[in-house]
Amino acid sequence: MARPDKAAAVAELAEQFRSSNAAVLTEYRGLTVAQLKTLRRSLGENAQYAVVKNTLTKIAANEAGITTLDDLFNGPTAVAFVTGDPVESAKGLRDFAKDNPNLVIKGGVLDGKALSADEIKKLADLESREVLLAKLAGAMKGKQSQAAALFQALPSKLVRTMDALRAKQAEQGGAE
C-alpha cells in the first residue's frame, strides 16, 4: 500500500469506523444508481452509505480495532456508517431490502460487537430510542399518579373513619 491515495482512503475509512456507533455491510450487486440514491435517503440523516473496496476497507476496519468483519469482505460491498440511532438505519436497510431483493445485508458491528444479518433484522424490529424513552416516561408518570392517589387516599380514609366513629359516639350518647 505504497500509494498515498490508498493510504488516505484507508485512514478515512478507519476514522469512519471509529466515529460510528454501528456499521452495516451490504452487497449491492444489481442495484441501479437511482436505487442506491433512494437507499441513502431511507437510511436517515445519521448514516452514510458508501461503496467501498474490500481490501482497503478490511485494512481500515482492522486499524480501527474491528476484526470480526473480515469474512464479510467479498463481492461488491457497501458500508452504512451509522452515527446516530442504529435502529432507524437498520429499519431503512430492512425495508429497502424487502422492496429490492438485490440488496443483501451481510452483517455488521454495533458498539464493537459483531452482528449477523439476522441480528441486524432483529435490531430493525425494535422501536426507536425516542419511542422507547416516551414509553418509559409514560410508565413512570403512571406510577407517580398511582403513588399520589395512594398517599391522598390514606388521609381521606382516616378522616372518614374518624367521622364515622364520631357519628357512632353521638348516636350512643344520644340514646342514653
Side-chain angles (χ1 to χ4, degrees):
M1 190 176 63
R3 292 183 31 195
D5 57 334
K6 287 186 179 183
V10 167
E12 183 181 337
L13 286 169
E15 180 54 35
Q16 284 184 310
F17 274 113
R18 283 187 204 102
S19 65
S20 299
N21 298 342
V24 180
L25 276 68
T26 63
E27 183 175 318
Y28 64 93
R29 187 184 325 222
L31 293 177
T32 65
V33 174
Q35 288 172 322
L36 287 174
K37 186 176 180 181
T38 304
L39 173 59
R40 284 184 175 100
R41 271 191 254 118
S42 70
L43 291 178
E45 297 176 7
N46 299 325
Q48 181 183 2
Y49 190 74
V51 174
V52 295
K53 292 190 179 223
N54 288 334
T55 308
L56 299 179
T57 309
K58 186 175 182 179
I59 293 168
N62 288 332
E63 281 185 14
I66 301 170
T67 57
T68 55
L69 300 177
D70 289 352
D71 297 339
L72 302 177
F73 292 112
N74 51 32
T77 303
V79 182
F81 294 103
V82 182
T83 55
D85 185 11
V87 174
E88 179 185 353
S89 298
K91 285 181 187 209
L93 284 168
R94 179 200 59 195
D95 295 344
F96 187 85
K98 282 181 186 176
D99 297 334
N100 301 284
N102 287 334
L103 180 74
V104 178
I105 299 172
K106 295 180 179 183
V109 63
L110 174 64
D111 294 327
K113 181 189 175 291
L115 297 176
S116 68
D118 290 334
E119 289 172 323
I120 292 170
K121 290 175 184 169
K122 286 179 186 175
L123 181 66
D125 291 337
L126 290 177
E127 293 178 347
S128 71
R129 182 176 188 273
E130 290 77 19
V131 171
L132 292 174
L133 288 174
K135 284 185 175 182
L136 178 64
M140 290 174 70
K141 183 179 178 187
K143 293 297 178 189
Q144 288 175 344
S145 297
Q146 288 176 345
L150 178 67
F151 292 139
Q152 187 178 7
L154 292 174
S156 63
K157 185 175 181 180
L158 178 65
V159 169
R160 285 193 306 270
T161 304
M162 289 176 65
D163 284 345
L165 184 60
R166 204 175 295 128
K168 185 175 182 180
Q169 285 177 348
E171 281 179 18
Q172 288 176 352
E176 292 178 12

